[in-house]
Amino acid sequence: MGARPRLPEIQDKSKHALRGDYGRARADYTVFQDVTAYADEEQLRWRQLHARQSALLPGRACREFVDSLASLDCARGIPALARQGERLSRLTGWRLVAVPGLIPDDAFFAHLAARRFPVTVWLRRADELDYIVEPDIFHDFFGHVPMLAVPAVAEFVAAFGQACLRARGEAVRQRLARLYWYTIEFGLVREGDGVRAYGAGLLSSPAELRHAVESPQALHVPFDPMRMMESEFRIDGFQARYYVVDSLEELFTQTRRVLAAAC
Ligand code: HBI
Ligand code: FE
């Protein structure tokens, strides 16, 4: 067990008391996920969240997400991260690591650079079904993990982590964080004659998935990495604009140069 992680680093970043139990975290902020420790009502809540969100996916989630989610077969209960990570690693070399919640940027980027996706171990409360301030296991697993099975997305997220580790100074890291936000969290992709979500923040949120894909108020703008890196994003509320990439392959090819240059 390495040195105890320093909680204040993360505490400063988030404006609210952090939910997770960081006391047992290792130096890299990973923890043991005890899959037997989840209460029956948490398993039921997972099934409710999974069923409700899955019903919203047709016509709104990209087909890569829908196919990948189905193959994860996680509708019946809270997923065992180690086992799910073994399957994922065979597809794109990614594994899953359990974390207590938000972890400091350095630790987060180091995991991404090494193709380890940090997944929070706790599940939101019954009174947080529609909105959660901090990513929980439903956001992290249901929203992010299926897309990590898509090679172009898997390459992009790993390249993003490596670029962040190389980045010198807060300004560059902030620009990269915006790129992550407008793609991996809130990105849209062209599909047929419409757009579909590939961002985890959309794919795990009932309200914003419908808003981003269907609302006349949702502003869809062409994919523009430089513009994304200059645009502040909203933490609590719908995004002012959603960037639409022509294909998921473009996500990696169009940002590779930007990521290579950002250091
Ligand atoms: N920690 N567990 C966790 N999950 C995140 O998504 C996360 C994080 N720490 C930092 C962070 N995200 C941001 O810096 C990135 O979204 C850019
Ligand atoms: Fe996320």
Side-chain angles (χ1 to χ4, degrees):
M1 183 73 84
R4 279 270 176 277
R6 295 169 309 291
L7 202 49
E9 273 176 56
I10 328 163
Q11 192 63 64
D12 298 348
K13 187 169 171 98
S14 58
K15 304 282 171 283
H16 62 283
L18 289 168
R19 178 82 60 92
D21 173 5
Y22 292 78
R24 281 194 288 273
R26 305 177 188 97
D28 64 356
Y29 285 90
T30 57
V31 292
F32 170 68
Q33 180 201 26
D34 180 356
V35 284
T36 66
Y38 295 106
D40 290 349
E41 51 106 13
E42 290 181 301
Q43 297 289 1
L44 175 62
R45 192 172 317 136
W46 171 276
R47 290 194 289 273
Q48 282 172 325
L49 283 162
H50 188 289
R52 182 181 69 168
Q53 199 62 23
S54 297
L56 294 171
L57 299 179
R60 299 186 181 101
C62 65
R63 66 176 165 278
E64 293 86 347
F65 179 86
V66 173
D67 296 348
S68 183
L69 178 69
S71 66
L72 289 174
D73 187 23
C74 61
R76 286 188 303 278
I78 295 172
L81 301 179
R83 187 172 58 77
Q84 290 282 3
E86 273 152 32
R87 195 192 141 277
L88 185 63
S89 71
R90 288 194 290 276
L91 294 169
T92 55
W94 276 83
R95 286 200 176 274
L96 305 178
V97 287
V99 292
L102 282 176
I103 63 177
D105 284 356
D106 281 334
F108 184 67
F109 298 143
H111 283 304
L112 297 190
R115 292 185 186 240
R116 293 187 301 260
F117 192 79
V119 178
T120 294
V121 288
W122 52 263
L123 182 69
R124 65 192 69 185
R125 296 188 307 263
D127 63 339
E128 299 173 307
L129 280 192
D130 294 328
Y131 181 72
I132 179 95
V133 181
E134 208 183 316
D136 71 335
I137 192 166
F138 186 73
H139 166 85
D140 282 341
F141 192 91
F142 186 98
H144 283 286
V145 172
M147 293 310 294
L148 289 172
V150 179
V153 176
E155 292 311 308
F156 170 66
V157 179
F160 168 81
Q162 285 143 21
C164 288
L165 282 188
R166 290 194 311 266
R168 290 288 160 263
E170 192 49 32
V172 177
R173 283 189 165 190
Q174 184 53 34
R175 288 164 58 82
L176 291 170
R178 291 177 190 144
L179 185 63
Y180 184 86
W181 190 266
Y182 286 116
T183 54
I184 296 307
E185 292 295 356
F186 291 96
L188 295 174
V189 61
R190 231 166 263 305
E191 192 172 287
D193 56 0
V195 298
R196 297 289 184 271
Y198 71 88
L202 299 178
L203 291 162
S204 58
S205 154
E208 193 154 9
L209 177 59
R210 281 181 289 216
H211 168 78
V213 174
E214 290 158 2
S215 162
Q217 275 72 44
L219 187 57
H220 296 171
V221 296
F223 193 75
D224 178 346
M226 296 311 282
R227 189 170 168 201
M228 289 181 208
M229 294 198 293
E230 257 106 52
S231 308
E232 291 291 330
F233 52 78
R234 296 176 181 168
I235 295 269
D236 43 6
F238 293 164
Q239 299 309 307
R241 64 181 67 80
Y242 299 93
Y243 289 87
V244 184
V245 70
D246 285 340
S247 73
L248 293 178
E249 287 64 33
E250 288 278 295
L251 175 65
F252 181 51
T253 54
Q254 281 217 31
T255 54
R256 192 168 30 193
R257 278 190 304 282
V258 164
L259 292 179
C263 44

